[in-house]
Amino acid sequence: MFGLNKIIPVEPNINFLGLRRNFLIFSILAILISIGLLSIKGLNLGIDFKGGTLIEVTDKILTIQRRRSLISFNRDRVDYINVPSADNVQFKPTLKWTIQIDQEADTIAGDLTYLASGFSWNANYRFIIDSEIDEAQFIAEAAINNDSNINFENAALSLVEGKLNMNEGAGNSPRSITNQPVTSSPERSELGDYHIFNIDTDMSLITKETIITRLYPSRNVSFVKTYIFENEEKSQKDEPLSVEYDIPNTSENNLGIPLPKGEIQLYQLLENGTIEFIGKDEIRQIPRNETANISSGKAFDVLGTRKILNYDRQQKSEEASIAIQVKNSQMESISVRLIEHIYGDWVIRNASTDYRKVDASTIHFMISVPGESSRTVTYTCLLYTSPSPRDRTRSRMPSSAW
């Protein structure tokens, strides 16, 4: 008791009135600081204070709608959801069916068909080239994406290839679909004007996941390798040639199957058994009995040079002498396609090798260049800048002669 008397006097005398100004200034500062922090950071209410209409629940977030705002929470912050009354629960979206039956039954079995979004698939190809036998292993795969919020366990998948008109501007009102008896075999690969690929085994599609599956078994196919040198009429170039592979999509080439549009990756099988990536390209939709054309980039040992040797411009025509040289530094012989684009009214003269006129503005020279050698193609192009003699002759002919 003696020690306590020393700490707290028996008759304390504190001048509260004299210190009132100091306490007033301290209180004002504390209030100003509190107002500043409240305006900057706001209130940090706990999740127990959040209420509203539940409009979305996914594996990652939970979203509720309040009177003036939408609030989303991470699912790991939510322990449970409390609903005051089951009568006020709103599930969005909601599907309801009214089923009419002739006789009462405890269990009703039926098939439900509906359209859903959030699913997509892309075709991926691998082309593994074995240059020793001029064949390649052709692998076709499908990458199936589930961007929805639903998991599908042991699902039977069918992939449809073709541009389907979904009529997205017609609104999003639900539509009922009557399930008619199926008369065609499910093994068919055609669906009207489209193609359908039935996956043999059931698969599980997990939300936000991509799975890879084979479209067809691996096949060994033949191909034609061609080096391409493409030029315009007045251009001069000195650059490597492009490498292209033509793959006939025929039954004789172990194919003859619909090939969906997708990305194709090219690989080279080396002598030691390893595989090297040599390029990739986009493959368009290839029907049966058509040819797939893919490019792997530029060659290192095959160079092309195009020069304009002479150019003569007259009043009504232009004449140019062209020389195209292809140098092959490889050991084996190669096939080369020279593509020349010429515009206007033109005539080819004095061509050193045969050419093929593809259309009104394109000619092709197909040549073979032996290993470690070069070959030169020359030709003269006469381009009319005014009506050609042939056109003038036609203009003088009577109308009855056309």
Side-chain angles (χ1 to χ4, degrees):
M1 190 68 183
F2 175 76
L4 187 61
N5 290 335
K6 287 187 176 182
I7 299 175
I8 302 176
V10 178
E11 296 180 357
N13 184 14
I14 301 176
N15 188 11
F16 287 100
L17 293 178
L19 298 174
R20 66 182 184 278
R21 293 184 178 180
N22 296 333
F23 290 135
L24 178 61
I25 294 174
F26 176 79
S27 299
I28 292 174
L29 291 176
I31 293 173
L32 293 177
I33 293 174
S34 300
I35 294 174
L37 293 176
L38 182 62
S39 62
I40 295 175
K41 293 188 176 182
L43 295 175
N44 186 17
L45 298 178
I47 197 168
D48 291 337
F49 295 95
K50 302 297 183 181
T53 302
L54 180 64
I55 62 174
E56 182 184 18
V57 178
T58 68
D59 59 335
K60 294 183 179 180
I61 64 171
L62 180 147
T63 304
I64 62 174
Q65 182 179 7
R66 306 187 73 186
R67 179 178 298 179
R68 297 182 180 179
S69 63
L70 291 175
I71 303 178
S72 296
F73 304 97
N74 293 327
R75 282 291 298 270
D76 55 4
R77 295 184 58 194
V78 181
D79 295 330
Y80 65 92
I81 301 175
N82 183 25
V83 181
S85 174
D87 297 333
N88 297 326
V89 177
Q90 299 181 16
F91 294 99
K92 297 180 181 180
T94 301
L95 299 177
K96 295 182 179 180
W97 289 269
T98 300
I99 303 175
Q100 297 179 354
I101 58 176
D102 297 333
Q103 298 178 355
E104 294 185 1
D106 295 334
T107 303
I108 300 175
D111 295 329
L112 174 62
T113 303
Y114 62 93
L115 295 177
S117 61
F119 307 94
S120 62
W121 73 281
N122 299 293
N124 296 318
Y125 302 94
R126 282 178 288 166
F127 193 65
I128 305 175
I129 302 170
D130 189 349
S131 57
E132 293 185 357
I133 58 176
D134 290 333
E135 285 189 356
Q137 185 181 11
F138 188 82
I139 302 173
E141 297 176 332
I144 307 171
N145 306 308
N146 180 12
D147 293 327
S148 69
N149 297 322
I150 304 176
N151 297 331
F152 294 89
E153 301 290 341
N154 299 323
L157 301 179
S158 295
L159 310 178
V160 178
E161 165 64 13
K163 182 64 175 179
L164 302 180
N165 186 7
M166 301 302 292
N167 195 17
E168 296 179 356
N172 297 322
S173 58
R175 296 180 296 168
S176 62
I177 302 176
T178 303
N179 189 16
Q180 301 292 341
V182 179
T183 57
S184 61
S185 171
E187 299 298 328
R188 291 185 59 185
S189 61
E190 294 184 0
L191 182 65
D193 294 327
Y194 311 99
H195 290 278
I196 184 169
F197 301 91
N198 296 313
I199 308 301
D200 296 334
T201 58
D202 294 343
M203 296 186 176
S204 295
L205 279 177
I206 308 302
T207 178
K208 309 302 179 182
E209 191 175 75
T210 300
I211 61 175
I212 307 296
T213 184
R214 287 286 179 93
L215 283 178
Y216 301 109
S218 175
R219 302 164 187 248
N220 292 326
V221 300
S222 300
F223 60 89
V224 177
K225 182 179 181 181
T226 308
Y227 293 84
I228 307 298
F229 193 35
E230 187 170 5
N231 297 280
E232 302 288 335
E233 57 185 29
K234 295 182 180 180
S235 64
Q236 298 193 88
K237 286 184 180 180
D238 185 5
E239 65 181 19
L241 271 62
S242 302
V243 184
E244 290 190 357
Y245 297 88
D246 292 330
I247 310 170
N249 185 15
T250 60
S251 57
E252 293 79 10
N253 196 29
N254 204 19
L255 287 174
I257 53 179
L259 300 177
K261 178 182 178 181
E263 182 183 271
I264 184 168
Q265 298 177 347
L266 291 87
Y267 298 86
Q268 179 75 49
L269 180 62
L270 304 181
E271 296 180 354
N272 58 4
T274 60
I275 297 176
E276 289 291 340
F277 175 76
I278 60 174
K280 66 178 180 179
D281 196 10
E282 292 290 331
I283 183 173
R284 63 178 179 86
Q285 182 174 309
I286 307 297
R288 299 185 186 95
N289 300 322
E290 296 290 335
T291 299
N293 179 265
I294 56 179
S295 175
S296 63
K298 299 288 186 177
F300 181 80
D301 294 326
V302 182
L303 301 177
T305 303
R306 186 181 192 270
K307 295 181 179 180
I308 301 178
L309 302 179
N310 184 50
Y311 180 76
D312 184 17
R313 183 170 185 175
Q314 301 295 329
Q315 183 177 0
K316 298 181 180 180
S317 63
E318 299 177 1
E319 186 177 88
S321 298
I322 310 298
I324 306 173
Q325 183 187 52
V326 177
K327 184 177 181 181
N328 179 20
S329 300
Q330 300 181 9
M331 300 294 294
E332 63 274 4
S333 177
I334 61 172
S335 297
V336 178
R337 181 187 301 123
L338 305 177
I339 302 177
E340 295 286 291
H341 295 289
I342 308 171
Y343 306 101
D345 189 3
W346 49 269
V347 176
I348 299 297
R349 295 178 177 177
N350 304 323
S352 62
T353 186
D354 295 336
Y355 67 90
R356 181 171 66 93
K357 183 178 179 180
V358 179
D359 53 40
S361 59
T362 307
I363 61 174
H364 287 181
F365 293 93
M366 290 298 302
I367 61 175
S368 177
V369 183
E372 296 185 330
S373 65
S374 63
R375 184 172 175 180
T376 302
V377 174
T378 59
Y379 71 93
T380 300
C381 177
L382 179 61
L383 180 63
Y384 295 100
T385 57
S386 61
S388 64
R390 178 179 55 187
D391 294 334
R392 289 195 298 269
T393 302
R394 288 180 177 177
S395 64
R396 290 194 297 267
M397 299 177 73
S399 59
S400 60
W402 287 89

